């Protein structure tokens, strides 16, 4: 089992550039199925989830080249015979193949994406989307996500502002001739990115960045070249690493307005930083007494992202007083508390969605595991300020979502090595 070994206590200094967004790259790669022509996608993060998505697409018959963060991909026809079903079960985002598949080929036949470590996470919203579009569910003996029949243009009112649910609806509608209106759509930056990509393919998605999307579907879409937006979750994670270690770092490739709620929370806590152009400078907060937060509430965009809740909670363990965290989305998102406690943190889960964090606490090294992608990032942040050595196991989660995380931290002065077993 591969591990990260971290020696805490070294302030980070220097410059770091963030990679392309995982949650934008995955649906964009899936959306390339909407055309038989070649697509070229730049700024694709070289992470495990990208490789999983590319393997799934290759299993369907796509011809793929992936070099230096650029993917060239073309899918002339599909064939399920070589589809690596087991792999699809491992990554919930495999459900993103459904929208383009049903729109272009009139059938989806995927293993059921199921739940995951974050909680039950049913796919009822996706089911709702395909049923609303008029595709028929095929019930079999195996738990499969199986729909038949090309979608029809309709008005969909989403039952919740699901990110991948909205992406599936937009992808399916973009190749469905006629007008589809999607109300209560999600508007996360990665949802916007896939809509812009579809428009580059000759699609007509209007209302991008709002909760109402109008898609004028085409009979055919063409190949396109596109650059994936930068990863705002990585920006937040590096910003926190700089702040926690009392260092001074400048983060590049930043789109500030993706993180308005995050910057507000930092201001409230008393952290000094400067936003300019496409970068953010984290100034040393070594001598500053950080204030606790009355309430950190995760929310849909532009609210505070649930994916930054675990990393931000590490900062709250260093703030003076008691902070209250309300995790609105996922019931499994405090799972890392058991690990954080091993490092000396004073964190208490009140309910599945509410927690109290008391600070400041001195953290110490321990053997901890990554419970999921973002909880893994939180463990790294905690280890950077812990006294002594921390061993982080289950780092395959971290590698699913962050490109060259340990290398980038090392370049900033962190003492982190990967131990390969
Ligand atoms: N939900 C349902 N039924 C569904 C789908 C979702 O009940 O069919 C519930 C979930 O249980 C949750 C909420 O709806 O309470 C949000 O789920 P959403 O559908 O928006 O999440 P998702 O599309 O499955 C994406 C990201 C997640 C991120 C969430 C929330 C991708 C590939 N994944 O998931 O990213 O946490 O939106 O913003 O875009 C991560 O990157 O580590 C990650 C988990």
């Amino acid at each position: 089992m591969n591990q990260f070994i971290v020696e805490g206590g070294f302030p980070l200094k220097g410059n770091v550039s963030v990679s392309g967004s995982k949650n934008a790259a995955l649906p964009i790669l899936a959306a390339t199925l909407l055309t038989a022509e070649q697509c070229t996608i730049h700024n694709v993060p070289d992470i495990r989830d990208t490789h999983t998505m590319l393997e799934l697409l290759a299993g369907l018959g796509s011809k793929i080249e992936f070099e230096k963060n650029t993917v060239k991909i073309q899918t002339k026809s599909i064939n399920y015979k070589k589809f690596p079903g087991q792999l699809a079960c491992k990554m919930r985002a495999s459900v993103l193949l459904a929208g383009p598949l049903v729109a272009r080929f009139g059938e989806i036949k995927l293993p059921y994406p199921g739940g995951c470590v974050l909680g039950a996470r049913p796919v009822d919203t996706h089911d709702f989307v395909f049923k609303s579009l008029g595709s028929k569910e095929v019930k079999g003996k195996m738990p499969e996500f199986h729909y038949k029949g090309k979608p029809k243009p309709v008005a969909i009112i989403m039952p919740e502002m699901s990110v991948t649910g909205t992406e599936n609806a937009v992808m399916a509608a973009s190749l469905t001739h006629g007008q589809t209106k999607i109300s209560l759509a999600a508007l996360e930056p990665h949802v916007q990115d896939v809509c812009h990509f579809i428009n580059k393919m000759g699609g007509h998605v209007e209302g991008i960045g709002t909760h109402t999307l109008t898609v004028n579907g085409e009979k055919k879409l063409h190949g396109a070249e596109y650059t994936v937006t930068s990863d705002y979750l990585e920006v937040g994670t590096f910003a926190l690493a700089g702040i926690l270690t009392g260092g001074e770092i400048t983060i590049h490739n930043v789109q500030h307005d993706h993180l308005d709620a995050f910057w507000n929370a930092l201001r409230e806590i008393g952290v000094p930083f400067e936003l300019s152009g496409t970068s953010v400078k984290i100034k040393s907060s070594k001598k500053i007494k950080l204030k606790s937060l009355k309430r950190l509430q995760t929310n849909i965009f532009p609210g505070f992202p649930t994916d930054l809740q675990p990393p931000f909670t590490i900062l709250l363990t260093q703030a003076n007083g008691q902070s209250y965290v309300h995790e609105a989305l996922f019931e499994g998102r405090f799972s890392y508390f058991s690990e954080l406690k091993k490092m000396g943190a004073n964190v208490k889960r009140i309910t599945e969605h509410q927690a109290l964090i008391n600070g400041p606490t001195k953290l110490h090294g321990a053997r901890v595991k990554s419970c999921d992608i973002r909880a893994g990032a939180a463990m790294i942040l905690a280890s950077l300020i812990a006294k002594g050595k921390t061993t982080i196991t289950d780092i395959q989660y971290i590698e699913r979502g962050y490109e060259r995380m340990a290398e980038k931290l090392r370049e900033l002065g962190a003492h982190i090595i990967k131990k390969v077993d």
Side-chain angles (χ1 to χ4, degrees):
M1 198 165 43
N2 296 343
Q3 301 165 346
F4 283 137
I5 315 287
V6 189
E7 191 72 40
F10 297 92
L12 302 189
K13 286 197 171 67
N15 293 278
V16 64
S17 289
V18 296
S19 305
S21 156
K22 162 179 91 73
N23 290 343
L26 295 177
I28 286 172
L29 290 173
T32 64
L33 284 174
L34 290 165
T35 176
E37 295 178 19
Q38 180 173 291
C39 295
T40 303
I41 317 294
H42 304 288
N43 205 29
V44 177
D46 192 347
I47 50 174
R48 270 179 189 243
D49 273 12
T50 298
H51 286 274
T52 304
M53 182 54 94
L54 292 179
E55 263 189 72
L56 295 173
L57 288 161
L60 286 169
S62 309
K63 297 281 170 272
I64 300 165
E65 281 172 38
F66 184 22
E67 213 185 333
K68 291 192 184 145
N69 299 102
T70 292
V71 172
K72 287 187 178 160
I73 180 164
Q74 184 166 22
T75 313
K76 288 189 178 158
S77 59
I78 62 148
N79 185 347
Y80 282 102
K81 279 195 189 123
K82 289 189 190 153
F83 187 69
Q86 285 304 101
L87 200 59
C89 296
K90 282 193 190 157
M91 187 180 69
R92 186 178 156 87
S94 62
V95 75
L96 288 166
L97 298 168
L101 281 177
V102 80
R104 182 154 160 223
F105 302 103
E107 184 169 10
I108 315 162
K109 204 173 173 198
L110 296 172
Y112 198 77
C116 81
V117 283
L118 296 178
R121 294 179 87 190
V123 282
D124 48 337
T125 309
H126 299 267
D127 284 315
F128 178 88
V129 164
F130 295 114
K131 281 178 188 156
S132 305
L133 287 167
S135 301
K136 296 271 173 294
E137 190 176 6
V138 182
K139 296 237 187 229
K141 282 186 200 137
M142 303 286 285
E144 275 178 341
F145 195 76
H146 194 173
Y147 279 88
K148 258 189 164 168
K150 287 223 181 193
K152 294 178 185 62
V154 287
I156 306 177
I157 301 171
M158 297 288 285
E160 58 171 1
M161 292 174 193
S162 162
V163 168
T164 50
T166 301
E167 289 163 351
N168 255 336
V170 174
M171 290 190 286
S174 67
L175 204 59
T176 298
H177 193 54
Q179 189 172 86
T180 299
K181 189 173 164 198
I182 307 163
S183 308
L184 297 179
L187 52 77
E188 269 65 9
H190 28 288
V191 179
Q192 298 184 33
D193 217 31
V194 72
C195 294
H196 288 302
F197 173 59
I198 288 169
N199 285 349
K200 270 211 111 178
M201 297 173 88
H204 298 282
V205 185
E206 284 164 24
I208 301 174
T210 75
H211 289 301
T212 307
L213 296 171
T214 307
V215 186
N216 283 300
E218 292 292 326
K219 282 190 179 140
K220 226 174 168 185
L221 294 175
H222 56 72
E225 188 163 355
Y226 192 76
T227 301
V228 173
T229 189
S230 65
D231 189 347
Y232 67 98
L233 301 172
E234 196 188 347
V235 173
T237 308
F238 275 105
L240 290 165
I243 297 160
L244 281 159
T245 60
E248 281 208 351
I249 63 169
T250 303
I251 309 168
H252 302 278
N253 295 344
V254 180
Q255 199 164 329
H256 304 147
D257 58 351
H258 287 177
L259 279 168
D260 284 343
F262 177 81
W263 307 129
N264 264 354
L266 288 187
R267 284 185 193 105
E268 210 180 322
I269 272 191
V271 168
F273 64 92
E274 205 177 276
L275 304 176
S276 61
T278 55
S279 64
V280 55
K281 184 172 180 182
I282 301 297
K283 299 179 178 173
S284 174
S285 49
K286 223 192 257 168
K287 294 188 186 130
I288 292 170
K289 214 173 161 196
L290 300 175
K291 286 178 261 171
S292 56
L293 282 188
K294 272 202 190 83
R295 183 184 175 93
L296 179 78
Q297 154 95 58
T298 66
N299 218 326
I300 54 168
F301 187 80
F304 192 96
T306 170
D307 292 329
L308 277 174
Q309 177 266 111
F312 204 90
T313 295
I314 308 302
L315 185 60
L316 296 179
T317 69
Q318 303 308 304
N320 285 265
Q322 188 171 73
S323 299
Y324 167 71
V325 178
H326 188 142
E327 167 56 56
L329 279 96
F330 297 122
E331 65 275 18
R333 234 189 183 154
F334 292 131
S335 57
Y336 65 100
F337 274 21
S338 56
E339 305 307 301
L340 206 48
K341 282 181 187 165
K342 292 180 194 163
M343 300 178 78
N346 184 347
V347 290
K348 193 173 172 209
R349 207 174 77 157
I350 318 168
T351 68
E352 282 180 332
H353 292 279
Q354 296 167 297
L356 292 174
I357 320 297
N358 285 293
T361 39
K362 286 204 171 6
L363 302 184
H364 54 78
R367 185 183 174 85
V368 292
K369 68 174 183 202
S370 314
C371 299
D372 61 69
I373 302 176
R374 311 303 169 187
M379 288 302 116
I380 291 188
L381 294 181
S383 70
L384 292 175
I385 52 164
K387 192 169 180 338
K389 190 178 89 174
T390 301
T391 300
I392 306 171
T393 67
D394 298 84
I395 62 169
Q396 69 277 8
Y397 284 117
I398 300 169
E399 291 175 338
R400 277 186 55 187
Y402 298 90
E403 186 178 63
R404 296 176 56 246
M405 176 78 145
E407 288 91 328
K408 286 184 184 180
L409 285 169
R410 253 199 317 273
E411 283 157 21
L412 292 170
H415 288 208
I416 174 167
I417 53 161
K418 180 173 168 179
K419 196 171 149 220
V420 180
D421 273 347

